[in-house]
Every structure is written in structure tokens, then in C-alpha cells.
Amino acid sequence: MKKNQKQHSFKGTETLFAQKVYAIVARIPKGKTLTYGEVAKKAGRPKAFRAVGSIMGKNRDPKVPCHRVIRGDGGMGGYAFGGSNKKRSILKKEGAI
């Protein structure tokens, strides 16, 4: 994080790992994606990709673009706000896929 930049506090996150996951996902720019595994690795727990999926499934913070996190095999994975077809549609509009 850059000097003088405020860190966003993510509501509803009980663990440091969840805080890290939300912070990483919040920084994924429009038009880009990361896999659940990449997020887990960046958060310091490379084997915790399923935990990342669980955390993203509980996300209700609009500052966290959870639709930009996809499966390692290129599949969409889940999306709590309309399912995988909605997720795919949003990613197409953003130019990520």
C-alpha cells in the first residue's frame, strides 16, 4: 500500500486472511481477473483457494469486485448476485473475457 493511502476496512470479515483476500480482490482492475488460487497465493496461503471461494461467496461489499475472481481452469465459479451466467456477462462487458 502506498504512503498516505487509507486502507479500507471490510465489514463482516473475522479473520486476517479474509481481510487480505478482500484487499487483494478490491485491487483487481476492470478488465482483469485473478483465479481463486492466485488470490490465495497473494494472501499468503497458496492452498486455500477453496477458502477464497467461500469468502467471496459471503461478500456484500460493493468495493470488492468478487466477479473478477474465477476458477483456475477458466470456469466462472459461483456468483452470489445472479449465478455464473451473470458473472460471465459482467466480465464480458468489462472486457476481461
Side-chain angles (χ1 to χ4, degrees), residues 53-73:
S54 178
I55 292 165
M56 291 294 90
K58 296 173 187 166
N59 175 47
R60 298 298 178 263
D61 189 332
K63 293 180 177 148
V64 180
C66 56
H67 64 279
R68 295 183 187 147
V69 184
I70 62 173
R71 292 182 357 195
D73 66 1

Side-chain angles (χ1 to χ4, degrees), residues 4-5 15 28 44 68 72 80 95:
N4 299 327
Q5 185 180 15
T15 68
I28 302 172
R68 295 183 187 147

Side-chain angles (χ1 to χ4, degrees), residues 17-39:
F17 180 67
Q19 284 279 333
K20 287 179 182 179
V21 167
Y22 280 121
I24 290 162
V25 175
R27 292 191 304 265
I28 302 172
K30 194 179 232 185
K32 301 289 182 185
T33 61
L34 288 178
T35 67
Y36 294 102
E38 289 170 328
V39 173

